[in-house]
Amino acid sequence: MSTSERLTDTLYGLGWGTVKKLPEPVAARLGRTVADLAWKQRGAGVKRLESNYARVVPDASPERLAELSRAGMRSYLRYWMESFRLPAWSAERIKAGFDPKDVHHLTDGLASDRGVILALPHLANWDLAGAWVTTKLETPFTTVAERLKPETLYDRFVAYREGLGMEVLPHSGGSAFGTLARRLRDGGLVCLVADRDLSASGVEVKFFGETARMPAGPALLAQQTGALLLPVTLWYDDSPVMQGRVHAPIEVPETGTRAEKTSVMTQALADAYATGIADHPEDWHMLQRLWLADLDPAKAPATDPGKGTL
């Protein structure tokens, strides 16, 4: 393990070991302080965040983009402070911490035993939404996670999410898709963070007027298993309770090749994500390149430890 990897693992370990012991108001203030310090430093992540927000709010002035990026960093650190503390939250705190709208799309789908796929962008706190599903709805689900370096950090994330009631599969290795398909055929629930895929298998979509790539997995799983595909968007307001919406199902087109159907369905996911992101851009934690116009082919895409795509 390199020195930088050891440092990264140590910092995350301190987060889960120390932040979860802080009183909630203290943790919230700490998150805002760290966010403001990072924002003032104008590092690569903050600049990328502003660049991405410029696509979402094309008429924003430089001053407005700066305000958005500051709010975005505060939202991002709220995600981390909540995530570090989630293992210490009571069941009642988790149940009260999320208030999704139109959740009947999910509960009706689960009752039908046809299997359900929830596909989310990097909005607000997807881990809290998952903990709410396993706690409030008492429904376990399966997700995927990128293999991180060092391996100990990946193990921390897997243990953290499994502790919240999730089954976590490694993204690499090629077996995740088959396992997810089996879970869905058994009437289970699969949750995927699916707004960024820079690999060759990513599906090109129009996103805020420009071309980006998103994962094919949600659409392919729905086609192969007959499972219901539901977009979900999340956001924060001024309260301690996260808000969200379960969008109407994305149907499999009746005609077309598998690739054509996948393209149509993935574009529909992108359109649903865009509605939530446009309404709450500061809660979209995209500190990386997304649009093809921004990509440097000489550099491999960075890995996001919160990512769970397929």
Side-chain angles (χ1 to χ4, degrees):
M1 185 188 303
S2 69
T3 301
S4 62
E5 288 174 347
R6 188 177 298 108
L7 176 61
T8 298
D9 181 58
T10 300
L11 290 174
Y12 279 103
L14 285 172
W16 274 300
T18 303
V19 174
K20 70 180 180 182
K21 299 176 183 177
L22 297 175
E24 195 158 337
V26 175
R29 286 197 300 271
L30 175 62
R32 289 193 296 271
T33 300
V34 173
D36 289 348
L37 287 173
W39 178 76
K40 289 176 182 177
Q41 289 178 352
R42 302 288 301 164
V46 173
K47 291 178 181 177
R48 177 53 54 191
L49 190 64
E50 282 188 14
S51 175
N52 289 338
Y53 286 162
R55 267 28 183 268
V56 177
V57 190
D59 58 347
S61 65
E63 293 77 17
R64 173 59 177 149
L65 288 175
E67 291 174 0
L68 273 177
S69 67
R70 183 180 186 183
M73 291 303 295
R74 286 188 168 191
S75 176
Y76 187 47
L77 264 294
R78 176 173 171 176
Y79 159 75
W80 279 113
M81 292 297 110
E82 287 180 347
S83 295
F84 287 143
R85 291 176 50 77
L86 265 177
W89 281 14
S90 67
E92 291 308 311
R93 177 68 181 87
I94 292 173
K95 292 176 184 179
F98 182 37
D99 182 25
K101 279 65 176 174
D102 298 328
V103 75
H104 65 88
H105 291 305
L106 170 57
T107 54
D108 290 350
L110 292 171
S112 73
D113 290 328
R114 64 181 285 192
V116 177
I117 305 158
L118 296 180
L120 307 86
H122 285 78
L123 273 169
N125 192 337
W126 46 96
D127 285 326
L128 173 55
W132 184 89
V133 168
T134 61
T135 306
K136 175 74 172 181
L137 302 185
E138 299 182 343
T139 302
F141 65 86
T142 304
T143 188
V144 298
E146 292 280 4
R147 282 203 173 276
L148 305 174
K149 289 185 178 181
E151 191 75 14
T152 51
L153 179 57
Y154 172 76
D155 292 341
R156 286 185 191 275
F157 272 97
V158 170
Y160 157 63
R161 288 183 170 131
E162 288 180 343
L164 298 176
M166 312 175 193
E167 178 189 23
V168 183
L169 306 176
H171 184 266
S172 59
S175 62
F177 188 93
T179 302
L180 294 174
R182 287 193 294 273
R183 299 291 183 270
L184 291 168
R185 290 194 184 97
D186 290 339
L189 176 63
V190 164
C191 299
L192 301 169
V193 179
D195 57 346
R196 183 177 185 267
D197 185 352
L198 304 186
S199 71
S201 62
V203 178
E204 291 193 1
V205 296
K206 286 296 182 184
F207 195 52
F208 292 101
E210 294 191 44
T211 303
R213 287 199 194 110
M214 294 187 181
L220 289 173
L221 283 167
Q223 292 176 59
Q224 187 163 315
T225 68
L228 200 65
L229 176 56
L230 301 175
V232 177
T233 53
L234 310 170
W235 66 92
Y236 291 127
D237 57 17
D238 294 330
S239 78
V241 180
M242 183 176 71
Q243 306 298 313
R245 183 175 306 282
V246 182
H247 295 252
I250 293 176
E251 303 294 343
V252 177
E254 295 183 359
T255 61
T257 65
R258 185 172 74 163
E260 290 168 342
K261 292 177 180 179
T262 300
S263 178
V264 170
M265 296 172 73
T266 306
Q267 182 63 61
L269 276 177
D271 292 343
Y273 296 161
T275 62
I277 293 168
D279 287 342
H280 305 278
E282 68 278 5
D283 292 323
W284 188 41
H285 307 151
M286 187 54 66
L287 281 73
Q288 300 169 297
R289 292 177 174 86
L290 176 73
W291 283 274
L292 299 191
D294 291 338
L295 297 182
D296 179 356
K299 297 180 180 178
T303 300
D304 175 1
K307 182 181 175 185
T309 63
L310 187 74

